Amino acid sequence: MKVIADLHTHSRYAMACSSSITIKGMEATALEKGISLVSTADFTHGGWLAEIKRDLEDPEGTGLLKVKGSDSGVRFILGVEVSTVFNPGGANTKKIHHCILLPSIEHAEAVRESLSKFGAMDSDGRPTLSMGPAELVENVRGITKDAVIFPAHAWTPFFGVFGAFSGFDSMEEAYEDQAQHIHALEMGLSSDSPMNWRISKLDKYTLLGNSDMHSLPKMGREANVFDIDKRHFNYRSLVEAINSKDRSKLVKNIEFYPEEGKYHFDGHRNCHFSVNPEASKIERCPICGKRLVIGVLHRVNDLADRPPGVVPQGSIPYVHAVPLMEVIAYVTGKTSYSRSTIETYTSMISALGPEFDILLDILPERIAAVAGNDIANAIMNVRNENIGITPGYNGVFGVLDLLNKKKGIRQNAVRQKGLSDFTG
């Protein structure tokens, strides 16, 4: 049984998230996308936890929840992202984000109560905790050994476990004596599997791709494809699929092109300046002199002990994908949230089936018959890795050129301003 899972989402109770996110809205969006399993998100927030308890149930005791009265097939897993803020050894403050998955509402209530000693639970769906990563793992595992904990968006500059400004150079540094209980990491939008494969010490971790969605349309912009026996589609089977050393049950990652992520290159947003760290490593913006935000590619290169192109034994296959609404918006020249984009998206889903089927499997002739040749060609270019991207940096998403109108090349895409603009 193929299970497409998005294990990191958010509710409307999380900072900077859409007020329209509801449990039933998440179910409907998952059906449109072709997602079978989605995180509830934000279970530590009292208001959202009350809605989880009101709208979801686990009548079969699988550890996975379903919407009450619904037979849609969509299941929810209790999940949350938390931020630990701490000063290791009295040094500079570290801020690291982590994802937690749990097997029951009772465990979620117990974790919420326990973590409330370290921070306010109801001020943000992603609570800020005055504790270190090791203390977090020990605390949560003290409630249930079945908890799954992994670093969220591991490479992002400010909150990633390997981030340039707040991170570490290894899991052992970050999680100390509790590192043995960490079996996975979330790559984040600005890195992909080949980038992570360059670091040999990450081979023992399961690489996950999740959306970290802040609005419903962003669900599934990254996801994981599991192969799980339908008779054993439960929390325990998912934990085994993530923690298992052979990883045979995780068959594919669906990933952003990392250049589209908003922290791929080094740069300074206010000056519209970015630079490829593989071309030149500079610390300060040549326009204003302020410190650049060091991006994910830079950090991967710093920690890499393998050249690009190495595929470690036992690696999980991956595909790059661009969300369907982004494809439609690119072709039509509209925004992703415009009425015409949504109407085209809805008509394609109605005629062709779930979004992931359209993006990854359906023949271009069928897509063209419903949505036109340009959309079909753009989707095929994404599948064939034949697109141009102006890489993202310092909180600015990369710009896609899906029909190669600018003749862009992925790693050498034209930047808004580059180092060569300021040197002779």
Side-chain angles (χ1 to χ4, degrees), residues 151-173:
H153 41 74
W155 294 96
T156 53
F158 299 103
F159 302 105
V161 68
F162 301 134
F165 296 128
S166 191
F168 298 87
D169 288 348
S170 71
M171 291 286 204
E172 289 74 19
E173 283 185 78

Side-chain angles (χ1 to χ4, degrees), residues 2-9 30 33-39 185-189 191-193 206-213 218-226 238 250-257 316-323 355-356 359-360:
K2 182 177 74 172
V3 175
I4 300 180
D6 185 350
L7 303 176
H8 179 185
T9 62
K33 302 280 186 177
I35 292 172
S36 308
L37 180 65
V38 62
S39 168
L185 68 86
E186 182 181 83
M187 293 176 283
L189 303 183
S191 84
D192 63 358
S193 291
T206 300
L207 302 179
L208 298 173
N210 300 306
S211 71
D212 191 6
M213 76 162 202
K218 301 300 184 184
M219 183 187 291
R221 56 185 174 179
E222 289 203 336
N224 315 280
V225 185
F226 295 92
L238 182 78
L250 178 51
V251 297
K252 185 186 298 182
N253 288 322
I254 302 171
E255 306 178 19
F256 245 42
Y257 281 92
I316 301 163
Y318 74 96
V319 293
H320 288 127
V322 173
E355 178 175 346
F356 279 127
L359 293 178
L360 304 178

Side-chain angles (χ1 to χ4, degrees), residues 315-390:
S315 298
I316 301 163
Y318 74 96
V319 293
H320 288 127
V322 173
L324 183 56
M325 281 191 177
E326 289 188 29
V327 175
I328 297 167
Y330 166 86
V331 170
T332 62
K334 306 291 185 180
T335 68
S336 295
Y337 294 100
S338 71
R339 177 177 294 182
S340 65
T341 297
I342 294 171
E343 288 176 349
T344 301
Y345 177 87
T346 301
S347 66
M348 291 181 70
I349 298 297
S350 177
L352 299 170
E355 178 175 346
F356 279 127
D357 287 352
I358 296 171
L359 293 178
L360 304 178
D361 298 320
I362 291 177
L363 293 173
E365 293 83 2
R366 290 188 61 203
I367 298 172
V370 173
N373 288 330
D374 282 348
I375 288 178
N377 289 336
I379 289 172
M380 292 308 298
N381 282 347
V382 172
R383 291 185 194 176
N384 295 327
E385 306 255 339
N386 180 33
I387 66 173
I389 310 176
T390 303

Side-chain angles (χ1 to χ4, degrees), residues 137-158:
V137 175
E138 188 173 19
N139 184 291
V140 173
R141 282 180 51 81
I143 294 167
T144 173
K145 297 295 192 295
D146 290 328
V148 175
I149 305 166
F150 56 87
H153 41 74
W155 294 96
T156 53
F158 299 103

Side-chain angles (χ1 to χ4, degrees), residues 181-203:
H181 302 303
I182 306 300
H183 302 289
L185 68 86
E186 182 181 83
M187 293 176 283
L189 303 183
S190 295
S191 84
D192 63 358
S193 291
M195 292 172 67
N196 285 267
W197 291 341
R198 295 187 58 202
I199 296 97
S200 61
K201 61 188 176 185
L202 299 184
D203 289 353

Side-chain angles (χ1 to χ4, degrees), residues 27 57 66-73 75:
E27 179 191 40
E57 63 180 351
K66 74 180 195 71
V67 173
K68 291 179 179 179
S70 172
D71 295 319
S72 69
R75 293 295 182 267

Side-chain angles (χ1 to χ4, degrees), residues 75-93:
R75 293 295 182 267
F76 288 78
I77 187 168
L78 285 150
V80 69
E81 179 187 10
V82 303
S83 176
T84 56
V85 180
F86 59 108
N87 298 86
N92 294 332
T93 299

